[in-house]
Amino acid sequence: MSQAYNVTQKLIKDHLLKGEMEPGKEIGIRIDQTLTQDATGTLVMLELEAMGLRRVKTEISVQYVDHNLLQTDFKNADDHLFLQSAAQKFGLWFSRPGNGVSHPVHMERFGKPGKTLVGSDSHTPASGSLGMLALGAGGLDVAFAMAGEPLYFKMPKVLGVKLSGKLPDWVSAKDVVLEMLRRYDVKGCRGMVIEYYGPGLDNLQAMDRHVIANMGTELGATTTVFPADEMIRKFLKAQGREEDFKEILPDESAEYDLHDEIVLDDLVPLIALPSSPGNVVPVSEVAGREVGQVVLGSSANPGLRDFWIVGAIMEGRTAHTDLSFDINPTSRQLIQNLAASGQFQNLIASGGRFHQSGCMGCIGMGQAPATSTISLRTMPRNFPGRSGTLDDQVYLCSPETLAAAALTGKITDPRDLEKELGIKYPKYQPVEQELINTQLLIAPPESGENIELVKGPNIKTLPQFEPLQQNYRVPVLLKMPDNVSTDEILRAGAVVLPYRSNIPAISKWAFAVIDESFHDRALEAREEFGGHIVIAGENYAQGSSREHAAIAPKFLGQVAVVAKSYARLGWQNLINFGVLPLEFVNPDDYERIEEGDVVKLKGLLESLNKEEPVVLINETKEENYEVSFSQLSERQKEIIRMGGIINYFKEKKVSTKGEVERPLR
Amino acid sequence: MSQAYNVTQKLIKDHLLKGEMEPGKEIGIRIDQTLTQDATGTLVMLELEAMGLRRVKTEISVQYVDHNLLQTDFKNADDHLFLQSAAQKFGLWFSRPGNGVSHPVHMERFGKPGKTLVGSDSHTPASGSLGMLALGAGGLDVAFAMAGEPLYFKMPKVLGVKLSGKLPDWVSAKDVVLEMLRRYDVKGCRGMVIEYYGPGLDNLQAMDRHVIANMGTELGATTTVFPADEMIRKFLKAQGREEDFKEILPDESAEYDLHDEIVLDDLVPLIALPSSPGNVVPVSEVAGREVGQVVLGSSANPGLRDFWIVGAIMEGRTAHTDLSFDINPTSRQLIQNLAASGQFQNLIASGGRFHQSGCMGCIGMGQAPATSTISLRTMPRNFPGRSGTLDDQVYLCSPETLAAAALTGKITDPRDLEKELGIKYPKYQPVEQELINTQLLIAPPESGENIELVKGPNIKTLPQFEPLQQNYRVPVLLKMPDNVSTDEILRAGAVVLPYRSNIPAISKWAFAVIDESFHDRALEAREEFGGHIVIAGENYAQGSSREHAAIAPKFLGQVAVVAKSYARLGWQNLINFGVLPLEFVNPDDYERIEEGDVVKLKGLLESLNKEEPVVLINETKEENYEVSFSQLSERQKEIIRMGGIINYFKEKKVSTKGEVERPLR
């Protein structure tokens, strides 16, 4: 690597604890800040409790409540109180229900140029807009970062995207990232950090950059990075914390591993069709389709500008009577500033249905569209059924395109508002000083020693797991095909989500999508044999990073999965919770073993040490198969030996500097 | 009756079609306006469809959407579209989701002094604040009113409540009705209309009167009536429709059947303890208890003043960090006026969690409190579990008392804000002209002939039922004790409510609280015997007026209920849906008949005509019991003979004038 660095390289170099900055090689970096939200955070807090952590070791950790806001019974409200007590106990800031969506609030109140951030939410990269290295990760990774451990990942390639020019009227930041999605689709940037640079940046405010960084996640990127330039100084000043600014620019002769360029002037209003964020076309191509709902808001268009522009377009006009005009404010602060700007009043007068601030419809927490109707949203994702309506038709677009549909009742190129309705494009002037109060943000107390965790009846301490045994004799409880996803292993949805802080309860849905009897059979097998194994094909546990897909089967006695191959995150989660991720040495053996067979695994501890294949003895069939541990690091072997990463942490806490510290309890 | 009339008598006299105005005697009155909301309205619209109604015959009928707003899947959103299409087809105004709670919106936009209103919602009496006779009723009563039929009920006694003096600072209209509840509890005004009069009225704005009339329902009153005086003229003027004003005052020598008096100056802040609105004590008696949530809003405190006063108290202050400060705006119009007044901004700045407009937490649609925490609400009801949290602790109070708790985190007498915190009581000045737009109100089209009902997959046309047969041989499927409520016959709640427009689907929960196997056994009996009967003790079908507790059993083949006695509304609903409401002539026979017995009913048509007891032949036990039809009117006999009131309507439409018209189709 040359001595000239791009922003991404600077950020990594400044935080590098382990490994070399060569693309593809594993590195470990120091984490300055963490972000957790309620849907994943309750498990993280239970993990911190199980790890025996006394106090987070990061500079700043913040627990947000933005997902599970509807409170149709006591469970979500109880989770909020639990999270508040856990934040106090472990030393996190707590952002109360109603304070807003984690990503924009974090950017406004906590983000700092030059810092690293890891969050248990895939849109954490949004803070890359500030010149931070901001990464999404699984809950345990975030818990470990809070405990002062490095975050491990493969050194990404850096895709430099040069921006030049200026966005035309009726085109905004959302169209920039939709253009990226049009070019790269949803997997095109895997293993990359996208770094934007060039003169076009002078025309993109900090919150515009947030829009682009947020949806970098949809491109499959590790994260997105922007420089911290004068625009960021202005933003931090408007947020009342100019002192947090630090300039971080790419060195003049900085190089990128990959190259692309966007001329902002050439962009047109774009829209992602159902049901993938990568399914992007110009709005004009699908103009005229009838729209039943528009939803403004979410972390993908959270800024004052994004609401202001819609208010300004709607001023003195009314939304079409055949659609629901849903407004999903980002945060308490956004509402306050929107009201001060006068545009809140225009949105209400035009017929807007104004909801509480939070993620809401973006994660299917209300606002589900009616059957066979089109919903236009400024949100980041339109995966099938994510809205809450199974056969939904969700389109993703900019606030301008949303406003055009709100007025006409049809998908409409917003430029036609000017051409055909004579509406002039409103010019947004960024506010020099936003109204700020931190009423819903609670600082951590000096000490959490005497704080009791507030656990409602649905919040259960994590179960403890035993170390790996030498030998097992257990039944095969399930045989699954290729590509089984975490949604099949443990589904999400309004019924199951409220149990995410209750492992015994949520385990009732383990594999229920595949076989409703699984839970009961697993308990019987745990009673009779002390556990079970399952068989799977290729790419086991693909999909989301949810840890419940490992911990719930573990709770039910899962000793091992034997698969042809694994998805990376699912494999990692099995290890973290001490389930053996075994692979068939001869994939054809998959055909020979069946549900109901009783198998023996012998001499596991030695095999693990020696990295030797294990003989899986099929007692029922009177056959043997070779199965292997694949590519386990020494650390991962130890985690498995100890029965999971929480036991590992408790018994052998390794500090960020590599020395062994005394156990925390 | 003398020639001097009170307001109640004037309103009834002007609309009397049947009967005499003697307390206790049945009367039939002409209905000018109807109100339906979404939770009951989908069934009403399906009934109108089944009746073959072409167009409502009322002066104004309005379909509101305010209950089922959360949209966690397609069902609620589909219902909204269905209701919109039905409103167009049948000639109703449609108040779209987001427009607000039916009662205040109706009062602001449609209510007129001197008119009658019937609504399928128990808080319909709120419009009595305008000098209307406004009654809550079951869905079919409202459907019949729309079809131009009289509304029948027993002529109530009129309780005249003389108001004098002026409310002290920190005491408001909610405390007036809480004082009534302290005096009369929740059943003390059954069979009465409460009519307020006297000089104290000059100090109660129209919306203050709404607060009092709304919660008259909690007193068990038939309705509450206020005169239409200058205060009402001012209100209608502020709503831009002074022309709708008509003075209606009690005659000078008007008399009341019953008498009471309230000296407003003597009132203190009151609060209803869990879990009954009648459980009222002075706030000072329970001061100091910790509060986890406050919820401002609902039809019981819907006015601009009620939000304004909380905003003014909170101005420059912040809500206590240990409670959730939930704000539940009444309507789009309220939000707009609140923002114009500047108090919206104060509510947000103080940490308010601002929700969409509608009933929301008042009917457990979100905002459920956490386990073992106190929730203070300005709402009308605190029945156990209504909030969504089974073991909830909901207190009902005024906006002033709510603000005091929001500031201190504890139940606090609001007068202590002045004494101890030096906060002066803010003086509200009514707005002379409110901001009004009707963006979310859709007028009915000239003709609904060509409008198709929009039925999502969960909306099913009402099943058709056969006329009564002469003989049945059917099994006894269930034997129930005394006091079985409609909540046991067909429960409410977030899981079941979305099926209220789908009788086949909702019938799966019929009697499920008592016996989960009921639905399947009923289908088997329908197949094998053509139906079934059930046995009950005293006071069968008490509780809410929900019609599903009759139509769902009917759908499953219920021929008759044989009970010791009935609750009035439940009895009426059985008749309306053509289920025989039989009574044991000898109540001891209840002990002899058992679940599983097969019984015969013979010669029903003759017995019905002659009002003779029927012999219930217990084939299994080889015993006979006498059972009777009790107190059926000729009209009710005909309804039963025809298999329900919808068949009756279709075959023999009787106009409001008593002539027989041609069937509508």
Side-chain angles (χ1 to χ4, degrees):
Chain A
M1 194 187 306
S2 76
Q3 284 308 97
Y5 295 108
N6 57 45
V7 175
T8 307
Q9 290 163 342
K10 286 185 179 186
L11 291 168
I12 292 176
K13 189 169 67 72
D14 279 357
H15 292 83
L16 193 69
L17 295 173
K18 307 262 170 116
E20 304 268 318
M21 287 173 58
E22 266 179 56
K25 289 263 174 85
E26 183 159 272
I27 53 171
I29 63 165
R30 192 182 70 246
I31 294 298
D32 303 318
Q33 303 190 343
T34 68
L35 167 166
T36 41
Q37 35 89 338
D38 50 324
T40 56
T42 54
L43 189 53
V44 173
M45 293 303 131
L46 290 168
E47 288 162 355
L48 292 183
E49 181 193 27
M51 286 158 63
L53 188 79
R54 286 204 188 131
R55 200 163 178 89
V56 298
K57 303 197 169 175
T58 45
E59 296 176 6
I60 281 174
S61 287
V62 191
Q63 173 63 52
Y64 293 90
V65 178
D66 54 10
H67 276 58
N68 294 325
L69 294 175
L70 290 190
Q71 295 175 224
T72 54
D73 67 14
F74 66 94
K75 295 193 202 77
N76 288 345
D78 280 8
D79 279 350
H80 304 167
L81 293 186
F82 168 66
L83 291 170
Q84 183 162 352
S85 70
Q88 300 262 303
K89 184 170 188 66
F90 300 124
L92 290 78
W93 283 81
F94 183 63
S95 174
R96 305 192 66 208
N99 196 46
V101 180
S102 65
H103 309 300
V105 173
H106 198 87
M107 183 183 163
E108 290 175 343
R109 301 264 59 78
F110 297 105
K112 286 186 191 176
K115 300 293 182 183
T116 53
L117 166 70
V118 64
S120 62
D121 187 287
S122 59
H123 290 109
T124 305
S127 286
S129 52
L130 288 183
M132 298 179 76
L133 190 79
L135 301 134
L140 267 172
D141 281 336
V142 181
F144 268 62
M146 288 188 207
E149 293 292 311
L151 181 77
Y152 294 94
F153 58 105
K154 284 184 182 158
M155 177 67 199
K157 290 186 177 178
V158 184
L159 166 62
V161 180
K162 184 177 177 186
L163 300 176
S164 59
K166 195 170 164 298
L167 289 167
D169 286 356
W170 305 100
V171 177
S172 62
K174 187 66 157 280
D175 299 305
V176 177
V177 72
L178 287 172
E179 170 66 15
M180 286 293 286
L181 280 154
R182 197 185 64 74
R183 295 184 189 181
Y184 291 91
D185 207 343
V186 294
K187 290 175 176 171
C189 295
R190 282 187 297 181
M192 302 177 198
V193 172
I194 306 169
E195 181 171 327
Y196 293 90
Y197 68 100
L201 284 177
D202 295 344
N203 301 309
L204 291 173
Q205 304 287 326
M207 267 297 174
D208 296 334
R209 301 177 188 186
H210 178 115
V211 173
I212 297 167
N214 183 283
M215 277 184 77
T217 300
E218 271 51 69
L219 290 154
T222 303
T223 189
T224 294
V225 163
F226 282 85
D229 56 14
E230 280 307 302
M231 210 60 109
I232 301 306
R233 184 200 296 275
K234 274 188 210 158
F235 171 80
L236 288 171
K237 192 173 174 212
Q239 298 300 326
R241 50 192 195 95
E242 191 179 3
E243 70 279 11
D244 287 341
F245 178 71
K246 176 184 161 187
E247 187 177 76
I248 305 175
L249 305 176
D251 290 334
E252 258 187 47
S253 53
E255 286 177 11
Y256 298 93
D257 302 302
L258 301 154
H259 299 271
D260 204 348
E261 180 164 4
I262 293 177
V263 180
L264 298 175
D265 310 82
D266 294 347
L267 293 182
V268 298
L270 296 171
I271 194 164
L273 310 182
S275 289
S276 166
N279 205 0
V280 174
V281 301
V283 175
S284 56
E285 256 184 40
V286 291
R289 298 184 187 176
E290 277 186 23
V291 175
Q293 180 191 48
V294 299
V295 191
L296 176 62
S298 93
S299 68
N301 271 114
L304 182 55
R305 187 213 82 93
D306 295 330
F307 291 79
W308 185 97
I309 195 86
V310 178
I313 294 169
M314 299 305 286
E315 183 171 359
R317 302 179 177 91
T318 58
H320 196 274
T321 48
D322 284 346
L323 55 72
S324 181
F325 177 23
D326 288 76
I327 302 164
N328 211 3
T330 313
S331 64
R332 200 207 54 69
Q333 179 171 326
L334 181 274
I335 303 175
Q336 206 178 352
N337 284 284
L338 195 63
S341 78
Q343 297 302 0
F344 169 80
Q345 290 82 335
N346 289 333
L347 290 170
I348 296 297
S350 68
R353 196 171 155 192
F354 199 84
H355 298 264
Q356 66 175 315
S357 40
C359 304
M360 305 300 291
C362 184
I363 36 91
M365 190 57 63
Q367 307 170 345
T371 302
S372 304
T373 60
I374 288 178
S375 176
L376 244 66
R377 303 176 166 209
T378 60
M379 293 169 173
R381 282 179 179 154
N382 59 350
F383 299 147
R386 184 177 160 96
S387 69
T389 296
L390 279 186
D391 56 344
D392 58 11
Q393 300 173 52
V394 176
Y395 292 62
L396 307 175
C397 65
S398 71
E400 287 84 347
T401 301
L402 177 138
L407 282 174
T408 62
K410 291 174 184 153
I411 296 178
T412 303
D413 187 324
R415 296 172 299 184
D416 289 350
L417 295 182
E418 185 145 4
K419 283 189 213 145
E420 289 169 22
L421 301 179
I423 301 176
K424 265 198 88 177
Y425 186 60
K427 294 289 178 195
Y428 176 71
Q429 283 299 331
V431 182
E432 283 189 21
Q433 176 60 55
E434 285 208 14
L435 295 172
I436 291 155
N437 83 34
T438 53
Q439 159 60 8
L440 290 168
L441 269 177
I442 304 178
E446 280 302 305
S447 161
E449 287 295 319
N450 298 318
I451 308 272
E452 288 288 319
L453 293 176
V454 177
K455 289 185 182 169
N458 183 50
I459 300 171
K460 304 293 184 199
T461 302
L462 283 196
Q464 294 195 1
F465 300 124
E466 297 299 311
L468 183 67
Q469 295 171 37
Q470 181 73 295
N471 307 309
Y472 291 91
R473 179 177 171 273
V474 288
V476 174
L477 279 198
L478 203 61
K479 184 172 173 181
M480 294 170 276
D482 293 347
N483 295 316
V484 166
S485 76
T486 52
D487 273 305
E488 288 153 282
I489 302 171
L490 197 62
R491 70 185 178 90
V495 174
V496 179
L497 275 174
Y499 293 96
R500 70 219 165 288
S501 41
N502 185 341
I503 302 304
I506 208 168
S507 75
K508 295 199 176 95
W509 285 279
F511 298 103
V513 173
I514 302 167
D515 179 349
E516 285 202 344
S517 73
F518 184 87
H519 171 263
D520 291 350
R521 294 194 293 118
L523 286 188
E524 284 164 25
R526 196 174 66 177
E527 188 70 24
E528 189 179 345
F529 296 93
H532 72 268
I533 68 165
V534 295
I535 306 298
E538 302 281 0
N539 197 28
Y540 179 70
Q542 67 158 344
S544 90
S545 70
R546 77 191 61 153
E547 297 176 290
H548 294 86
I551 190 170
K554 173 75 177 184
F555 171 76
L556 295 175
Q558 192 161 99
V559 173
V561 178
V562 186
K564 290 185 188 171
S565 70
Y566 292 87
R568 189 184 59 84
L569 268 171
W571 178 75
Q572 179 76 54
N573 283 336
L574 289 175
I575 294 167
N576 283 348
F577 289 100
V579 177
L580 294 171
L582 299 172
E583 286 182 28
F584 288 105
V585 172
N586 174 7
D588 293 345
D589 289 339
Y590 170 87
E591 304 298 335
R592 308 173 68 92
I593 191 164
E594 284 177 74
E595 207 168 294
D597 291 353
V598 173
V599 301
K600 286 183 187 164
L601 287 161
K602 288 192 173 177
L604 284 172
L605 296 171
E606 283 86 0
S607 305
L608 186 61
N609 283 347
K610 296 181 199 155
E611 298 183 47
E612 278 176 358
V614 184
V615 177
L616 183 73
I617 304 159
N618 190 334
E619 197 178 277
T620 307
K621 293 274 192 309
E622 296 183 358
E623 292 177 342
N624 295 344
Y625 323 112
E626 272 198 342
V627 295
S628 69
F629 305 99
S630 80
Q631 299 179 299
L632 294 177
S633 69
E634 285 306 313
R635 183 171 163 274
Q636 288 170 325
K637 285 181 201 167
E638 198 154 5
I639 289 168
I640 285 181
R641 217 176 282 125
M642 291 183 173
I645 200 165
I646 291 173
N647 292 351
Y648 170 82
F649 180 86
K650 281 157 69 175
E651 294 190 21
K652 196 178 177 176
K653 162 102 184 40
V654 179
S655 86
T656 52
K657 293 184 191 106
E659 311 122 353
V660 176
E661 283 186 353
R662 62 176 168 74
L664 284 172
R665 69 174 182 192
Chain B
M1 195 186 311
S2 74
Q3 286 306 99
Y5 295 108
N6 57 45
V7 175
T8 306
Q9 289 162 342
K10 286 184 180 185
L11 291 168
I12 292 176
K13 189 170 67 72
D14 279 359
H15 293 83
L16 192 71
L17 295 171
K18 305 265 170 107
E20 305 268 319
M21 287 171 60
E22 266 179 58
K25 291 262 175 87
E26 182 160 272
I27 54 172
I29 63 165
R30 193 180 72 246
I31 294 298
D32 303 319
Q33 302 190 345
T34 68
L35 167 165
T36 40
Q37 36 89 338
D38 51 324
T40 55
T42 53
L43 189 54
V44 173
M45 295 301 132
L46 290 169
E47 287 162 355
L48 292 182
E49 181 193 28
M51 286 158 64
L53 188 81
R54 284 203 188 131
R55 201 164 178 86
V56 298
K57 302 197 169 174
T58 44
E59 295 176 6
I60 281 175
S61 285
V62 191
Q63 174 64 52
Y64 293 89
V65 178
D66 54 11
H67 276 60
N68 293 325
L69 294 175
L70 289 189
Q71 295 175 224
T72 53
D73 67 14
F74 67 96
K75 295 192 201 79
N76 289 344
D78 280 9
D79 278 350
H80 303 166
L81 293 185
F82 168 67
L83 290 170
Q84 182 162 355
S85 70
Q88 300 261 303
K89 184 170 187 68
F90 300 124
L92 289 79
W93 283 81
F94 184 63
S95 174
R96 305 192 68 209
N99 196 45
V101 180
S102 66
H103 309 302
V105 173
H106 198 87
M107 183 183 164
E108 289 175 343
R109 302 265 57 78
F110 297 107
K112 286 185 192 178
K115 298 293 183 184
T116 54
L117 166 70
V118 63
S120 62
D121 187 285
S122 59
H123 290 110
T124 305
S127 285
S129 52
L130 287 183
M132 298 180 74
L133 190 79
L135 301 135
L140 266 172
D141 281 335
V142 181
F144 268 64
M146 288 188 206
E149 293 292 311
L151 180 77
Y152 294 95
F153 59 105
K154 285 187 180 153
M155 177 66 197
K157 290 187 179 177
V158 184
L159 166 63
V161 180
K162 186 176 175 185
L163 300 176
S164 59
K166 193 167 166 298
L167 288 167
D169 285 357
W170 305 100
V171 177
S172 62
K174 187 65 156 283
D175 297 306
V176 177
V177 71
L178 287 173
E179 170 65 16
M180 286 292 286
L181 280 154
R182 197 185 64 75
R183 295 184 189 183
Y184 291 92
D185 208 341
V186 294
K187 288 176 176 171
C189 296
R190 281 186 299 180
M192 304 177 196
V193 172
I194 306 169
E195 182 171 327
Y196 292 90
Y197 69 100
L201 284 177
D202 295 345
N203 301 310
L204 291 173
Q205 303 288 328
M207 266 299 172
D208 297 335
R209 301 177 188 187
H210 178 116
V211 174
I212 297 167
N214 184 282
M215 275 185 77
T217 300
E218 271 51 69
L219 290 154
T222 302
T223 188
T224 294
V225 163
F226 282 85
D229 56 14
E230 280 307 301
M231 209 61 107
I232 300 306
R233 184 200 297 276
K234 274 188 210 157
F235 171 80
L236 289 170
K237 192 173 173 213
Q239 298 299 326
R241 52 192 194 94
E242 192 179 2
E243 69 279 11
D244 287 341
F245 177 71
K246 178 184 159 188
E247 187 177 75
I248 306 174
L249 305 177
D251 290 334
E252 259 187 48
S253 53
E255 286 176 12
Y256 299 93
D257 301 303
L258 300 155
H259 298 272
D260 204 348
E261 179 164 3
I262 293 176
V263 181
L264 298 176
D265 310 81
D266 295 347
L267 293 181
V268 297
L270 296 170
I271 193 163
L273 311 182
S275 289
S276 166
N279 205 1
V280 175
V281 299
V283 175
S284 55
E285 257 183 40
V286 291
R289 298 185 186 176
E290 276 186 22
V291 176
Q293 180 191 48
V294 298
V295 191
L296 175 62
S298 93
S299 67
N301 271 114
L304 182 54
R305 189 213 80 93
D306 295 331
F307 291 79
W308 185 96
I309 196 85
V310 179
I313 295 170
M314 300 304 286
E315 185 172 357
R317 301 179 178 91
T318 57
H320 195 274
T321 48
D322 284 347
L323 54 72
S324 181
F325 177 23
D326 287 75
I327 303 164
N328 211 2
T330 313
S331 64
R332 198 207 55 67
Q333 180 171 324
L334 181 275
I335 303 175
Q336 206 178 351
N337 285 284
L338 194 63
S341 79
Q343 297 302 2
F344 169 80
Q345 291 81 334
N346 289 333
L347 290 170
I348 296 297
S350 69
R353 196 171 154 193
F354 200 84
H355 298 264
Q356 67 174 313
S357 41
C359 304
M360 307 302 288
C362 184
I363 37 90
M365 190 55 67
Q367 306 170 346
T371 301
S372 305
T373 59
I374 288 178
S375 176
L376 244 67
R377 303 177 166 209
T378 60
M379 294 169 172
R381 284 178 179 155
N382 59 348
F383 300 147
R386 183 178 161 97
S387 69
T389 296
L390 280 186
D391 56 345
D392 57 10
Q393 300 173 52
V394 177
Y395 291 63
L396 307 175
C397 65
S398 71
E400 287 84 347
T401 302
L402 177 139
L407 282 173
T408 63
K410 291 175 183 152
I411 297 180
T412 303
D413 187 323
R415 295 171 300 182
D416 289 349
L417 295 183
E418 187 147 0
K419 282 188 216 149
E420 288 169 22
L421 300 179
I423 301 176
K424 266 198 89 178
Y425 187 59
K427 295 289 176 194
Y428 176 71
Q429 285 298 331
V431 183
E432 284 189 19
Q433 177 60 57
E434 284 208 15
L435 295 172
I436 290 155
N437 83 33
T438 54
Q439 159 60 6
L440 289 168
L441 268 177
I442 304 178
E446 279 302 304
S447 160
E449 287 294 321
N450 298 319
I451 309 273
E452 287 287 322
L453 293 176
V454 177
K455 289 185 181 168
N458 183 49
I459 299 170
K460 304 294 183 197
T461 302
L462 283 196
Q464 294 195 1
F465 299 124
E466 297 299 313
L468 182 68
Q469 295 172 36
Q470 182 71 296
N471 307 311
Y472 291 92
R473 178 178 172 273
V474 288
V476 175
L477 279 198
L478 204 60
K479 185 172 173 181
M480 294 170 276
D482 294 347
N483 296 316
V484 166
S485 76
T486 52
D487 272 303
E488 289 153 280
I489 301 172
L490 198 62
R491 70 186 178 91
V495 174
V496 179
L497 275 173
Y499 292 98
R500 71 220 164 288
S501 42
N502 185 340
I503 302 304
I506 208 168
S507 76
K508 295 198 176 96
W509 284 277
F511 298 103
V513 174
I514 303 168
D515 180 350
E516 285 202 343
S517 72
F518 185 88
H519 171 263
D520 292 352
R521 294 194 293 118
L523 287 188
E524 284 164 25
R526 196 173 69 178
E527 188 70 25
E528 188 178 344
F529 296 93
H532 73 270
I533 67 166
V534 294
I535 306 299
E538 303 281 1
N539 197 28
Y540 179 69
Q542 67 157 344
S544 91
S545 69
R546 76 193 60 155
E547 298 176 289
H548 294 87
I551 190 170
K554 173 76 177 182
F555 171 77
L556 294 175
Q558 191 161 101
V559 173
V561 178
V562 186
K564 290 184 187 169
S565 70
Y566 292 87
R568 190 183 60 83
L569 269 171
W571 179 74
Q572 179 76 54
N573 283 337
L574 289 176
I575 295 167
N576 283 348
F577 289 101
V579 177
L580 293 172
L582 299 173
E583 285 182 28
F584 287 106
V585 172
N586 175 6
D588 293 345
D589 288 340
Y590 170 87
E591 303 299 336
R592 308 173 68 91
I593 190 165
E594 286 178 72
E595 208 170 293
D597 291 353
V598 173
V599 301
K600 285 181 185 164
L601 288 161
K602 287 192 172 176
L604 284 172
L605 296 171
E606 283 86 359
S607 305
L608 186 61
N609 282 347
K610 295 181 198 155
E611 298 182 50
E612 280 174 357
V614 184
V615 177
L616 182 72
I617 303 160
N618 189 334
E619 200 178 276
T620 307
K621 293 274 192 307
E622 297 185 356
E623 293 177 343
N624 294 345
Y625 323 112
E626 272 198 344
V627 296
S628 69
F629 304 99
S630 79
Q631 301 177 299
L632 294 176
S633 69
E634 285 307 314
R635 182 169 165 274
Q636 288 171 325
K637 287 182 199 165
E638 197 155 7
I639 289 168
I640 285 181
R641 216 176 282 123
M642 290 182 173
I645 200 166
I646 291 173
N647 291 350
Y648 169 85
F649 180 89
K650 280 157 69 176
E651 293 189 22
K652 194 176 180 180
K653 162 98 183 50
V654 181
S655 87
T656 52
K657 293 183 191 107
E659 313 121 356
V660 175
E661 283 185 351
R662 62 175 168 72
L664 284 173
R665 68 174 186 198

